């Protein structure tokens, strides 16, 4: 069964720093990987989707990479802002299910 | 474009009572998902519909949970009778494609079972 792990569970950084969130998965047979953002009491917002054939995707200050063979993905956030404070979840699409990690709670300190 | 709508946002019930949650996906989205998110965990898929048919309900506790999407549009998730461990946020999501694509989530329905 696919297991998705996100480390660290929580992260605090000062405003302006660049940061990296990590996601690892145990089964490399995936179709795609998605990064989501979840604000307290809210649903999930899709940030980036990387197909299994791709190595990275970029959107604004966000860049996600995928190394399927090693079972890893990273989400890079450049020039962090207080508005980036949220929980970030990665999810991998297997044969018939989307498996979520437990998330990294990010706090950007003004 | 309207997002995924869910109601109610919050519900508190006692154990053994019943509860129902409603979801209206984004117009034109073929696939609808119900997820359960327990505090501190990632969402877990309960059931996936494609139009009005069930694609996957392998993780739905069928002795107490049921879901339907009769006309292939909105959907209802019911829990009867509720247990303490059902306390969670129930998230509905939809996607345009018949398979898995970008998922759009509603804000969720938070259930507390006392």
């Amino acid at each position: 069964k696919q297991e998705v792990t996100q480390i660290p569970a929580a992260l605090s950084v000062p405003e302006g720093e660049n940061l990296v969130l990590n996601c690892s998965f145990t089964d490399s047979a995936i179709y795609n990987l998605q990064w989501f953002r979840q604000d307290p009491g809210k649903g999930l917002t899709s940030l980036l989707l990387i197909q299994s054939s791709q190595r990275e995707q970029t959107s604004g200050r966000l860049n996600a990479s995928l190394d399927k063979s090693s079972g890893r993905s990273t989400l890079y956030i450049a020039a962090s802002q207080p508005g980036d404070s949220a929980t970030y979840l990665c999810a991998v699409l297997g044969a018939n299910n989307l498996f979520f990690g437990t998330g990294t709670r990010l706090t950007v300190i003004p | 474009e309207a997002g995924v709508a869910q109601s109610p946002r919050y519900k508190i019930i006692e154990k053994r009572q019943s509860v129902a949650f409603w979801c209206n996906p984004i117009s034109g989205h073929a696939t609808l998902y119900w997820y359960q998110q327990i505090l501190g965990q990632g969402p877990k898929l309960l059931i996936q519909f494609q139009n009005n048919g069930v694609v996957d309900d392998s993780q739905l506790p069928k002795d107490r949970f049921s879901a339907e999407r009769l006309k292939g549009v909105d959907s209802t998730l019911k829990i009867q009778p509720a247990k303490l461990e059902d306390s969670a946020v129930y998230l509905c999501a939809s996607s345009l494609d018949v398979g898995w694509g970008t998922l759009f989530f509603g804000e969720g329905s938070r259930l507390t079972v006392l």
Side-chain angles (χ1 to χ4, degrees):
Chain A
K1 181 188 172 185
Q2 179 74 269
E3 292 186 6
V4 182
T5 304
Q6 291 187 247
I7 294 173
L11 179 65
S12 290
V13 299
E15 180 177 3
E17 271 203 7
N18 303 324
L19 59 101
V20 175
L21 306 180
N22 297 295
C23 171
S24 61
F25 46 95
T26 54
D27 186 349
S28 62
I30 66 170
Y31 290 96
N32 65 44
L33 182 146
Q34 298 184 51
W35 282 93
F36 292 88
R37 169 185 173 139
Q38 186 172 32
D39 292 283
K42 301 289 187 180
L44 283 69
T45 300
S46 180
L47 298 173
L48 291 164
L49 183 152
I50 311 176
Q51 299 292 351
S52 63
S53 58
Q54 297 175 319
R55 298 283 294 183
E56 66 178 327
Q57 281 285 342
T58 298
S59 176
R61 295 182 294 108
L62 306 179
N63 176 275
S65 68
L66 173 63
D67 184 342
K68 208 172 70 163
S69 61
S70 66
R72 294 180 181 179
S73 175
T74 61
L75 178 66
Y76 175 83
I77 303 177
S80 58
Q81 303 171 357
D84 295 332
S85 298
T87 296
Y88 292 81
L89 297 110
C90 72
V92 296
L93 176 63
N96 58 4
N97 204 342
L98 191 64
F99 296 91
F100 281 85
T102 54
T104 294
R105 186 167 60 201
L106 173 67
T107 303
V108 180
I109 304 165
Chain B
E1 176 183 84
V4 176
Q6 289 189 247
S7 66
R9 289 294 316 280
Y10 306 94
K11 189 74 175 179
I12 301 173
I13 61 174
E14 295 187 349
K15 60 183 179 182
R16 291 188 289 274
Q17 287 186 326
S18 64
V19 63
F21 301 113
W22 175 82
C23 171
N24 194 24
I26 293 173
S27 177
H29 279 198
T31 310
L32 184 148
Y33 315 78
W34 282 102
Y35 281 87
Q36 180 193 58
Q37 186 176 24
I38 294 172
L39 186 65
Q41 298 182 17
K44 183 185 80 171
L45 180 69
L46 293 175
I47 189 167
Q48 177 189 352
F49 292 96
Q50 180 177 309
N51 296 311
N52 62 350
V54 175
V55 175
D56 182 2
D57 64 356
S58 58
Q59 298 192 78
L60 187 73
K62 298 181 186 63
D63 58 333
R64 299 183 299 106
F65 286 65
S66 65
E68 59 184 16
R69 192 186 186 199
L70 292 176
K71 296 182 180 179
V73 181
D74 58 344
S75 175
T76 302
L77 175 70
K78 296 180 181 178
I79 308 174
Q80 181 179 12
K83 292 185 175 181
L84 296 177
E85 58 261 36
D86 298 333
S87 295
V89 177
Y90 291 86
L91 295 164
C92 178
S94 68
S95 65
L96 179 63
D97 302 327
V98 293
W100 292 84
T102 299
L103 269 64
F104 296 85
F105 281 82
E107 293 195 327
S109 295
R110 181 178 297 275
L111 173 65
T112 301
V113 182
L114 303 176

